[in-house]
Amino acid sequence: MIDFPIAKINLGLNIVRRRADGYHDLETVFYPIPLKDALEVQTMDEGFPSATDCDIKVTNINIEGNEQDNLVVRAYNLIKERYDLPRIHTHLYKGIPTQAGMGGGSSDCAFMIKLLDRMFALGMGDTEMKDYATRLGADCPFFLMGVPAYAEGIGEKLEPIGLSLEGLTIGIVCPHIPISTKEAFSRIKPRQTEVKCREIVMQPIETWRSRLSNDFEEGVFALHPEIGLIKQKLYELGAVYASMSGSGSSVFGLFRNPVDLTGLFGDAFVYTAKL
């Protein structure tokens, strides 16, 4: 069975307080975009010599570290604690850049949960799948829904909103600059917002530039000015709104008209699509 995990962008991202447990409460709007990975699962032959119940092959983008720490494998292992799952082979083709602020790993995890439920007829309902997703990552539950949503808490408190960017073109630039989420948070000064991003995004997109902010940008742009220059360039190319997504390093622009970013940003990953 195969499925196609989607990416997301953040429309506004405000860090409003530091919690007693060391995490941060935030306010953001998650918006799904058509940039995708491909996730394929097949059962493993009984005699196949594998040291693990879920082996994984990742292609197109190299991911460092122990493959058994991949969120896809962790999702399988967590669900196997309750359900009698067979051993499986997993192939993950990465089309979504890693450490980019677009939720690729979380999406892979959420889609693995849904895929296992369908493939092996586990009968998990939405509540159970959300519980597994929340245990694996704060923004994983969003990818179970896959519709625009306002998020609070650490990203797990979700409220679908009637927002559509249909007809706009999105352009994404992701430089080869890994951003540590821990480091990005260390440069944040939490603050309460006067107007929540949920209200701002329901206003005309032309008003977003002066009102819709990502609190990570100030610290990340100070460390890596070239990322800030990407945002500036997208505006120069005609974006009606541009922002870093998540804690970076990807920057997206929303355009009224088609745009071609090929060759404009060196060796950075670029992607455009009509929403």
Side-chain angles (χ1 to χ4, degrees), residues 83-135:
Y83 294 95
D84 184 23
L85 296 176
R87 298 192 306 161
I88 62 172
H89 297 290
T90 306
H91 177 201
L92 176 62
Y93 177 89
K94 289 295 298 178
I96 305 169
T98 59
Q99 292 185 298
M102 290 189 286
S106 296
S107 184
D108 296 336
C109 168
F111 274 70
M112 182 64 161
I113 293 170
K114 293 191 292 184
L115 193 154
L116 291 174
D117 183 55
R118 294 198 309 272
M119 186 170 182
F120 300 113
L122 303 181
M124 292 191 291
D126 293 343
T127 299
E128 184 176 357
M129 286 194 285
K130 182 179 179 181
D131 176 65
Y132 287 129
T134 302
R135 290 163 66 182

Side-chain angles (χ1 to χ4, degrees), residues 13 16 42 54 69 135-136 246:
L13 177 50
V16 296
Q42 57 181 320
C54 174
D69 291 331
R135 290 163 66 182
L136 291 162

Side-chain angles (χ1 to χ4, degrees), residues 244-262:
M244 191 171 72
S245 186
S247 58
S249 58
S250 67
V251 182
F252 67 90
L254 298 173
F255 298 81
R256 290 287 186 192
N257 300 307
V259 64
D260 185 1
L261 305 180
T262 306

Side-chain angles (χ1 to χ4, degrees), residues 201-229:
V201 300
M202 303 312 293
Q203 301 303 311
I205 190 172
E206 286 78 9
T207 67
W208 293 5
R209 183 171 181 173
S210 61
R211 303 184 66 203
L212 192 63
S213 62
N214 179 340
D215 288 348
F216 285 112
E217 286 188 349
E218 182 178 358
V220 170
F221 291 178
L223 282 175
H224 304 286
E226 56 269 48
I227 300 178
L229 291 175

Side-chain angles (χ1 to χ4, degrees), residues 181-199:
T181 302
K182 182 178 180 181
E183 182 180 40
F185 269 107
S186 72
R187 303 176 72 87
I188 288 287
K189 295 180 181 179
R191 60 182 179 84
Q192 291 292 330
T193 55
E194 294 182 6
V195 182
K196 296 182 184 295
C197 53
R198 173 182 54 197
E199 281 74 43

Side-chain angles (χ1 to χ4, degrees), residues 14-233:
N14 305 121
I15 310 302
V16 296
R17 70 183 62 84
R18 181 177 174 86
R19 296 153 48 120
D21 59 9
Y23 290 94
H24 292 79
D25 283 331
L26 57 81
E27 298 170 358
T28 190
V29 171
F30 292 130
Y31 195 91
I33 60 173
L35 179 60
K36 298 177 180 180
D37 291 341
L39 177 64
E40 181 181 23
V41 170
Q42 57 181 320
T43 56
M44 191 184 296
D45 291 339
E46 290 185 7
F48 187 82
S50 174
T52 63
D53 291 336
C54 174
D55 66 23
I56 185 169
K57 178 182 180 181
V58 181
T59 58
N60 195 46
I61 296 176
N62 181 48
I63 298 178
E64 297 180 356
N66 187 338
E67 65 179 23
Q68 290 298 299
D69 291 331
N70 190 291
L71 280 169
V72 166
V73 179
R74 290 174 57 193
Y76 169 88
N77 289 334
L78 182 60
I79 293 172
K80 188 175 174 60
E81 291 177 4
R82 178 171 180 181
Y83 294 95
D84 184 23
L85 296 176
R87 298 192 306 161
I88 62 172
H89 297 290
T90 306
H91 177 201
L92 176 62
Y93 177 89
K94 289 295 298 178
I96 305 169
T98 59
Q99 292 185 298
M102 290 189 286
S106 296
S107 184
D108 296 336
C109 168
F111 274 70
M112 182 64 161
I113 293 170
K114 293 191 292 184
L115 193 154
L116 291 174
D117 183 55
R118 294 198 309 272
M119 186 170 182
F120 300 113
L122 303 181
M124 292 191 291
D126 293 343
T127 299
E128 184 176 357
M129 286 194 285
K130 182 179 179 181
D131 176 65
Y132 287 129
T134 302
R135 290 163 66 182
L136 291 162
D139 57 352
C140 290
F142 164 72
F143 292 101
L144 294 175
M145 299 168 50
V147 298
Y150 172 68
E152 288 187 336
I154 58 173
E156 87 289 6
K157 298 178 181 178
L158 297 166
E159 175 190 336
I161 60 175
L163 174 67
S164 174
L165 302 179
E166 185 177 358
L168 295 176
T169 294
I170 186 169
I172 296 173
V173 181
C174 184
H176 300 292
I177 302 173
I179 303 295
S180 163
T181 302
K182 182 178 180 181
E183 182 180 40
F185 269 107
S186 72
R187 303 176 72 87
I188 288 287
K189 295 180 181 179
R191 60 182 179 84
Q192 291 292 330
T193 55
E194 294 182 6
V195 182
K196 296 182 184 295
C197 53
R198 173 182 54 197
E199 281 74 43
I200 296 174
V201 300
M202 303 312 293
Q203 301 303 311
I205 190 172
E206 286 78 9
T207 67
W208 293 5
R209 183 171 181 173
S210 61
R211 303 184 66 203
L212 192 63
S213 62
N214 179 340
D215 288 348
F216 285 112
E217 286 188 349
E218 182 178 358
V220 170
F221 291 178
L223 282 175
H224 304 286
E226 56 269 48
I227 300 178
L229 291 175
I230 292 171
K231 178 179 176 180
Q232 179 181 327
K233 180 68 172 179

